[in-house]
Amino acid sequence: MDSALKKWVNESDNLVFFGGAGVSCESGIPDFRSTDGLYHQTWNHSPEEILSHHFFWENTEEFYRFYRAKMLYPDAQPNAAHRMLAHLEAQGKLRVVITQNIDGLHQAAGSRNVLELHGSVHRNHCTKCGKPYGLETILSGDGVPYCTCGGVIKPDVVLYEESLDQQVLTKAMRAIAQADVLIVGGTSLNVYPAAGLLRYFGGRALVVINKTPTPADKGATLVLQGEIGKILGDA
Ligand code: ZN
């Protein structure tokens, strides 16, 4: 672990971690917003358009084509950052992981107290009868997945135009407000509600870890630029 960060981690038993897409990058999951040269040859719409509430209902088949190709990484494994955060929680130092990711890798690494602001690909439900389905149901077929009742199955992932789960958001605000040290990692803080949530922090140290500068750098106690797995280190 970075030595300046280690000092804060050693002194605190009330760490909270807030993370974004960069945390899963080192597990081979790219940020879905990143589009390469081939993107427009394969897709006729922007990621934000395809992952929106209206698009899901108006073009369900195309939604699932994109979703399976760009959002699901069933073979991805937790990396050093996930493992260190799980380790710190097991040690009683880290209280909560708040994540914008939907891949479930924090839980796969052993974290228990995880607040998933944007939901999870591992949870899906029938839009007609509410029956829950796992990720296997989505992975096992092509086209639109249907419930045994005939209803369309929808991922429990917050789409554009949809609101966040208020309970999860409230818990995240509370955790940040009560934190002694807040570590923000792998997020450029441009995505709602990330930037707003940081305003609730009143603890001793704000640590920002990211590959590129973020709007929070100016108010941070410590800014560490680089790969988060290397900076946090392995457990
Ligand atoms: Zn159903």
Side-chain angles (χ1 to χ4, degrees):
M1 187 183 291
D2 173 272
S3 57
L5 174 59
K6 196 167 191 167
K7 179 185 152 290
W8 286 109
V9 167
N10 284 342
E11 281 179 10
S12 178
D13 63 355
N14 185 2
L15 303 159
V16 168
F17 180 81
F18 181 100
V23 176
S24 292
C25 240
E26 287 156 58
S27 294
I29 303 181
D31 188 340
F32 67 85
R33 290 173 215 90
S34 61
T35 59
D36 57 23
L38 288 172
Y39 185 87
H40 297 286
Q41 290 174 32
T42 320
W43 310 99
N44 294 320
H45 305 271
S46 68
E48 290 85 355
E49 168 77 4
I50 299 174
L51 295 171
S52 70
H53 183 80
H54 79 268
F55 196 94
F56 177 85
W57 287 111
E58 286 164 17
N59 214 334
T60 316
E61 201 162 334
E62 181 69 353
F63 171 90
Y64 270 112
R65 189 168 77 92
F66 181 90
Y67 185 76
R68 287 194 183 95
K70 304 279 277 184
M71 307 301 283
L72 301 182
Y73 296 86
D75 299 328
Q77 297 296 321
N79 62 52
H82 296 108
R83 288 191 295 268
M84 178 54 82
L85 292 167
H87 174 68
L88 292 173
E89 182 182 338
Q91 282 190 315
K93 297 182 83 61
L94 184 128
R95 301 282 175 94
V96 187
V97 169
I98 303 164
T99 183
Q100 296 173 281
N101 299 337
I102 57 175
D103 50 46
L105 288 181
H106 285 294
Q107 291 92 333
S111 286
R112 289 157 170 271
N113 206 0
V114 182
L115 296 173
E116 297 172 308
L117 291 175
H118 295 155
S120 172
V121 298
H122 295 279
R123 297 187 298 273
N124 305 271
H125 70 278
C126 169
T127 53
K128 211 164 143 191
C129 74
K131 186 176 171 186
Y133 286 90
L135 179 57
E136 328 75 60
T137 307
I138 311 295
L139 288 170
S140 63
D142 283 328
V144 179
Y146 288 101
C147 178
T148 45
C149 83
V152 173
I153 298 171
K154 189 171 183 281
D156 289 3
V157 164
V158 181
L159 301 179
Y160 288 89
E161 302 159 357
E162 292 180 344
S163 49
L164 302 188
D165 182 322
Q166 275 306 315
Q167 265 190 330
V168 175
L169 196 54
T170 303
K171 283 182 185 170
M173 282 176 200
R174 199 167 295 155
I176 287 175
Q178 293 170 351
D180 172 40
V181 175
L182 177 62
I183 305 171
V184 180
T187 171
S188 55
L189 292 166
N190 293 321
V191 182
Y192 172 84
L197 274 173
L198 295 201
R199 285 203 301 267
Y200 293 90
F201 180 63
R204 286 193 301 150
L206 171 65
V207 180
V208 178
I209 307 170
N210 203 41
K211 276 187 179 171
T212 53
T214 81
D217 292 2
K218 221 168 56 181
T221 316
L222 181 62
V223 178
L224 300 165
Q225 261 181 34
E227 290 185 9
I228 190 161
K230 285 194 184 130
I231 290 167
L232 275 180
D234 221 326

